[in-house]
Amino acid sequence: MRLTLNNRSQNKESSLTQALRQIQQLNSKIAVLEQQHQDYVQKQQNLIPAIAEICISPIQEVQALRILIYRGEAACRQYLRSLLVKQRQTSKSSSTY
């Protein structure tokens, strides 16, 4: 009888230990995901001043923000680079006249 109680007690303890380990693993994963989310948000927020500086029309700003929201930071940076290239080409062609 005593041996059965000890086995049950050990099984409960090992189940609790296993559950605690799983909770700790989940908490670690949550912490990593929260940090990744903060990094993502920070990168997006860092683009807002660049959007305001590079875009010369409200339509371009809206387009840049849409790209940022729906396609992400890398696509938005690519769009802003393309705007800069177009602006440089426009300024070169207008200065040659």
Side-chain angles (χ1 to χ4, degrees), residues 11-24:
N11 285 342
K12 285 183 181 179
E13 188 175 315
S14 67
S15 294
L16 287 174
T17 304
Q18 188 177 18
L20 283 173
R21 190 177 326 109
Q22 288 174 341
I23 289 170
Q24 289 171 337

Side-chain angles (χ1 to χ4, degrees), residues 3 8 17-18 32 40 47 69 73-74 80 89 91-93:
L3 184 60
R8 285 184 189 163
T17 304
Q18 188 177 18
V32 168
Y40 174 77
L47 275 177
I69 291 167
E73 175 218 355
L80 293 175
Q89 289 173 346
S91 67
K92 282 183 183 177
S93 64

Side-chain angles (χ1 to χ4, degrees), residues 18-44:
Q18 188 177 18
L20 283 173
R21 190 177 326 109
Q22 288 174 341
I23 289 170
Q24 289 171 337
Q25 289 172 344
L26 287 173
N27 283 337
S28 295
K29 288 179 182 179
I30 288 169
V32 168
L33 288 173
E34 285 176 343
Q35 185 59 49
Q36 288 174 344
H37 177 70
Q38 288 297 326
D39 293 345
Y40 174 77
V41 169
Q42 186 63 43
K43 285 179 181 179
Q44 285 193 326

